[in-house]
Amino acid sequence: MDYVQLGDSDLVVSKVCMGTMTFGEQNTLEEGVEQLTRAFDEFGVNFLDTAEMYPVPTKATTQGATDKAIKMFLQSRKREDVILATKVCGRSERIKWLPRRDSETPAALTRDQILDSVDASLERLGTDYIDLLQLHWPGDFRPSQYQDNPKPTSFEEQLSALQELVTTGKVRYVGVSNESAYGVCSMAALTRQFPELYPKIVSIQNSFSLVVRKDFEAGLGEACFHHNVGLLAYSPLAAGTLSGKYRKNVPKGARLTLFPGFMERYLGSSNEEAVNAYCDLAKKADLTPTQLALGWCYHNELVASSIIGATTMDQLEENIQAYDVRLSDDVSKEIEAIYAKYTDPTKAR
């Protein structure tokens, strides 16, 4: 396993990060602990990512269950040996069951909600600090996404709340998730102008894979490079589709069946054609589809660390062992040829 400094923080994280969103839904809490133990003790992973809304699909009856598994895991080792990342929910009129001061409060990135979220997360996790706190999705005004949001939470309010948490020692570093180049640059500008008021974001957790590249590569990657914001690539297997396991059928209980609407981008788009092309290339290169997809993401110069998820130990081992795969120049060229044909397949209809 290799390690990298995350942005301009002093966090040195493994190039493979353990995602946990299935713990408490598709996996039992005990299975979650077993996965984390295997990844940390046998493969040298030191980095895990959770969120207050986990497991997914998020719902009131299971919210926070994932953190219980992580608490169980943390009890068996030194806290300083684990780099713990979590996330506070962005604005959502639908999610009204999170631990907030007033019940039935829709999720938002207001000062009070950020502070309350962290206090509740610390209690669930059984720790007194979070290494990396991320804003799960934007809380500012985006006309294309939030036309019904007349009172967006300003970047200043979000960052000042994060600074309070850093000052008190509850949070060491902060980052964003599902953010845009506009958001990254706006926050970086505020920090540069008022460093005593606002903390520097050190990471961005966005979807990034063979079939989801364009959004990051076309502008956001440049913004992150110049502001030293490390990419934590989530869904490097594109919800499992790049593993090739859904080419013939989607089994009952699979992740794609658990997210009505959201996962249709992977099945009701040109993504199926792109996945078939990458799977055929993997076979030609004597690799599994998983090895091709993860090998490409793990060693991509834009990526600081890749967040993986698994529901079985076999999947976990294949995912982590794929880190040893180094793609040849010829295979890399063929990947670019497929990308030229299927540049944005999850959005093409």
Side-chain angles (χ1 to χ4, degrees):
M1 182 57 60
D2 294 319
Y3 303 85
V4 63
Q5 183 176 346
L6 185 59
D8 40 21
S9 74
D10 66 0
L11 300 176
V12 179
V13 302
S14 51
K15 291 284 289 181
V16 177
C17 175
M18 279 294 293
T20 63
M21 71 178 189
T22 62
F23 301 173
E25 182 66 42
Q26 290 176 275
N27 289 104
T28 65
L29 302 187
E30 291 74 18
E31 288 171 342
V33 174
E34 183 182 11
Q35 284 194 30
L36 290 171
T37 300
R38 189 71 165 273
F40 275 67
D41 294 348
E42 296 191 25
F43 293 104
V45 172
N46 72 346
F47 190 21
L48 69 85
D49 176 73
T50 182
E52 66 170 341
M53 64 173 276
Y54 287 174
V56 295
T58 186
K59 50 192 174 185
T61 54
T62 58
Q63 183 270 323
T66 297
D67 287 351
K68 296 179 182 179
I70 295 171
K71 179 179 181 180
M72 294 163 60
F73 169 72
L74 290 175
Q75 290 172 341
S76 67
R77 59 203 59 238
K78 295 179 180 179
R79 175 64 183 85
E80 60 268 25
D81 292 340
V82 178
I83 296 179
L84 171 62
T86 190
K87 300 183 284 293
V88 52
C89 281
R91 178 184 173 274
S92 173
E93 292 296 320
R94 181 179 68 87
I95 301 177
K96 299 181 179 181
W97 53 80
L98 298 173
R100 300 295 188 257
R101 300 179 191 188
D102 298 317
S103 60
E104 296 297 307
T105 298
L109 291 177
T110 63
R111 172 186 176 274
D112 287 349
Q113 290 210 34
I114 291 173
L115 300 182
D116 292 348
S117 170
V118 168
D119 284 342
S121 290
L122 290 172
E123 183 175 356
R124 286 193 307 271
L125 293 163
T127 185
D128 57 4
Y129 72 93
I130 293 163
D131 294 290
L132 177 67
L133 178 68
Q134 304 152 101
L135 306 179
H136 207 154
W137 54 87
D140 58 313
F141 178 68
R142 305 287 170 81
S144 62
Q145 296 174 300
Y146 302 129
Q147 294 180 7
D148 60 341
N149 185 17
K151 296 181 179 179
T153 306
S154 68
F155 288 125
E156 289 87 348
E157 180 175 348
Q158 296 174 56
L159 288 173
S160 62
L162 296 176
Q163 182 61 52
E164 289 185 56
L165 293 165
V166 172
T167 300
T168 59
K170 293 180 180 180
V171 170
R172 294 181 63 196
Y173 295 99
V174 300
V176 291
S177 180
N178 298 302
E179 191 50 272
S180 67
Y182 169 74
V184 169
C185 292
S186 296
M187 290 185 179
L190 284 168
T191 301
R192 185 182 301 109
Q193 187 174 5
F194 304 105
E196 72 284 358
L197 297 179
Y198 307 125
K200 168 73 165 55
I201 60 170
V202 302
S203 65
I204 180 169
Q205 184 180 149
N206 277 32
S207 181
F208 190 70
S209 68
L210 286 171
V211 295
V212 182
R213 297 172 52 180
K214 182 180 177 182
D215 286 348
F216 192 83
E217 293 179 345
L220 182 52
E222 182 180 11
C224 290
F225 173 80
H226 288 292
H227 294 298
N228 200 11
V229 175
L231 171 60
L232 305 177
Y234 77 76
S235 205
L237 288 176
T241 59
L242 283 167
S243 71
K245 63 183 179 182
Y246 300 132
R247 295 182 79 184
K248 294 182 179 179
N249 60 72
V250 179
K252 185 178 180 180
R255 189 182 310 173
L256 289 181
T257 67
L258 299 177
F259 295 84
F262 179 72
M263 289 299 184
E264 289 178 1
R265 58 181 171 165
Y266 293 118
L267 294 178
S269 65
S270 299
N271 187 65
E272 290 176 275
E273 297 173 28
V275 166
N276 286 336
Y278 287 120
C279 287
D280 290 343
L281 173 58
K283 183 176 181 180
K284 178 181 175 182
D286 198 26
L287 299 169
T288 68
T290 295
Q291 289 175 326
L292 179 79
L294 290 182
W296 176 86
C297 191
Y298 285 152
H299 305 293
N300 191 297
E301 63 180 3
L302 297 176
V303 177
S305 184
S306 301
I307 303 172
I308 62 167
T311 53
T312 69
M313 293 302 292
D314 287 343
Q315 289 176 350
L316 178 68
E317 290 189 10
E318 181 181 13
N319 289 350
I320 298 179
Q321 289 172 348
Y323 186 77
D324 294 331
V325 173
R326 299 295 195 276
L327 303 180
S328 69
D329 290 342
D330 288 342
V331 170
S332 296
K333 289 178 181 178
E334 293 199 52
I335 285 175
E336 294 309 308
I338 296 173
Y339 176 61
K341 184 176 182 180
Y342 302 104
T343 303
D344 206 2
T346 64
K347 294 182 180 178
R349 298 291 174 177

